[in-house]
């Protein structure tokens, strides 16, 4: 760990999360913009109250159903995700049969290799998107267009924790189902995804693993009915209502902030 954080610190969990990203940055696999992205995420986490809210629970359930129903699910991993939740990525891949693929906005081959190494250390047997990122997503100009022909290119469902909007839109144009985890309910990713989990990736990923493990034995019809009953616009509206209500109650002094 880069800096020592006393366990008694009231914001211990949050500081440890930050330290993981700093360490990943110092080891050369978290992008410098990844640190900025995390700060933006923390700000939205304050607004929702730093816990998994009801609309996120609905989205997690739908995401688990979509991953279990998928024929070729893929979990896309960037620098921040590798630093924060590598074990959960591996567990989710095991439970849902998804492939794991490194896909980077600020792509360098060195970062891609280091991220694959982090994932292998966490237990991944196969990591796509390093030497095999030979295919391209049409109409996408960023480095994220480089994908594996065995992974994202042919996937029907793609989980994109912590993302930038362009690729989500490009994947949607290709007819893929996109599941996003993003603390910002107003981001282009959040708006463009089929299923948006507005929650911190460090809370959402273990819950997604748990839900997928629970639903794994369910009948196909039950999973399909979860998806049919899911409305992403309504979920995003509920997130905004939650934030508005919370801020109003705080402004009236009815809630106390915990630090
Ligand atoms: O590793 P790379 O090269 O692929 O780069 C990764 C980043 C994250 C730098 C890149 O994808 C990027 O620039 O993303 P953005 O456009 O900054 O979007 C990141 C989104 O994730 C923002 O909407 C943040 O609010 C959100 N976010 C940040 N931290 C978390 C988060 N959402 C959930 N959990 C977090 N811990």
């Amino acid at each position: 760990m880069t800096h020592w954080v006393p366990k008694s610190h009231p914001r211990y969990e949050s500081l440890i999360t930050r330290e993981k990203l700093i360490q990943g940055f110092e080891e050369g696999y978290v992008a410098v913009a990844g640190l900025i992205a995390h700060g933006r995420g923390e700000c939205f986490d304050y607004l929702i109250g730093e816990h998994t809210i009801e609309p996120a629970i609905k989205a997690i359930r739908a995401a688990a159903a979509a991953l279990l129903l998928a024929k070729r699910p893929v979990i896309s991993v960037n620098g921040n995700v590798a630093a924060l939740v590598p074990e959960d990525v591996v567990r989710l891949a095991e439970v849902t049969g998804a492939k794991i693929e490194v896909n980077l906005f600020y792509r360098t081959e060195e970062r891609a290799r280091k991220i694959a190494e982090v994932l292998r250390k966490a237990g991944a047997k196969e990591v796509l998107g390093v030497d095999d990122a030979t295919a391209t997503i049409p109409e996408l100009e960023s480095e994220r267009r480089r994908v594996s022909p065995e992974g994202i290119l042919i996937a029907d469902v793609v989980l994109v924790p912590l993302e930038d909007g362009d690729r989500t839109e490009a994947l949607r144009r290709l007819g893929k189902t996109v599941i996003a985890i993003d603390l910002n309910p107003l981001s282009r990713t959040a708006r463009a995804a089929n299923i948006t989990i507005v929650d911190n990736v460090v809370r959402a990923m273990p819950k997604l693993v748990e839900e997928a493990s629970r639903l794994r034995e369910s009948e196909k019809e039950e999973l399909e009915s979860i998806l049919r009953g899911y409305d992403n616009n309504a979920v995003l509206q509920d997130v905004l209502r939650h934030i508005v209500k919370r801020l109003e109650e705080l402004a009236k002094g009815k809630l106390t902030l915990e630090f």
Side-chain angles (χ1 to χ4, degrees), residues 17 29-31 33-42 44 77-80 84 103-107 111 115 144 162-165 181-184 187 189 199-202:
T17 303
Y29 67 87
V30 169
L35 304 178
I36 298 170
H38 186 72
R40 201 154 64 252
E42 275 189 348
F44 281 99
V77 178
N78 63 19
N80 288 44
L84 296 179
N103 183 274
L104 303 177
F105 187 77
Y106 301 98
R107 186 179 178 98
R111 283 189 65 220
I115 290 169
R144 282 208 189 278
L162 243 137
E163 173 76 5
D164 46 279
I181 304 177
D182 191 334
L183 275 161
N184 179 0
S187 76
T189 302
D199 197 13
N200 198 318
V201 77
V202 301

Side-chain angles (χ1 to χ4, degrees), residues 39-233:
R40 201 154 64 252
E42 275 189 348
C43 172
F44 281 99
D45 213 3
Y46 263 72
L47 295 180
I48 67 170
E50 295 181 298
H51 68 276
T52 305
I53 59 176
E54 194 52 42
I57 292 171
K58 273 191 200 158
I60 286 171
R61 197 165 143 79
L67 286 167
L68 290 167
L69 282 169
K71 289 196 173 66
R72 290 182 299 274
V74 173
I75 305 168
S76 176
V77 178
N78 63 19
N80 288 44
V81 172
L84 296 179
V85 285
E87 284 89 9
D88 294 307
V89 167
V90 174
R91 280 168 60 214
L92 188 62
E94 279 165 8
V95 173
T96 60
K99 293 199 183 267
I100 300 174
E101 176 164 346
V102 178
N103 183 274
L104 303 177
F105 187 77
Y106 301 98
R107 186 179 178 98
T108 65
E109 295 318 305
E110 195 192 349
R111 283 189 65 220
R113 265 195 304 278
K114 285 185 178 172
I115 290 169
E117 207 178 293
V118 170
L119 291 165
R120 280 199 205 94
K121 268 195 197 141
K125 290 185 184 69
E126 185 190 33
V127 181
L128 303 175
V130 185
D131 297 326
D132 62 327
T134 53
T136 45
I137 303 178
E139 295 174 48
L140 187 62
E141 289 185 2
S142 77
E143 283 298 307
R144 282 208 189 278
R145 70 183 185 281
R146 297 181 201 283
V147 293
S148 164
E150 303 294 315
I152 291 172
L153 189 74
I154 57 162
D156 51 352
V157 176
V158 188
L159 172 65
V160 294
L162 243 137
E163 173 76 5
D164 46 279
D166 277 15
R167 184 172 61 137
T168 301
E169 287 163 2
L171 292 174
R172 286 292 308 266
R173 280 197 295 274
L174 292 176
K176 300 180 194 296
T177 296
V178 181
I179 304 165
I181 304 177
D182 191 334
L183 275 161
N184 179 0
L186 304 173
S187 76
R188 268 175 53 220
T189 302
R191 302 263 139 198
N194 300 76
I195 299 171
T196 308
I197 303 169
V198 181
D199 197 13
N200 198 318
V201 77
V202 301
R203 293 190 300 267
M205 279 297 284
K207 289 196 169 67
L208 186 51
V209 174
E210 206 179 296
E211 190 65 0
S213 311
R214 210 178 56 76
L215 288 177
R216 189 150 72 151
E217 304 308 323
S218 304
E219 297 293 330
K220 193 169 173 238
E221 288 70 31
E222 192 192 333
L223 299 177
E224 284 169 346
S225 128
I226 293 173
L227 277 188
R228 264 198 311 277
Y230 181 78
D231 178 344
N232 207 44
N233 279 332

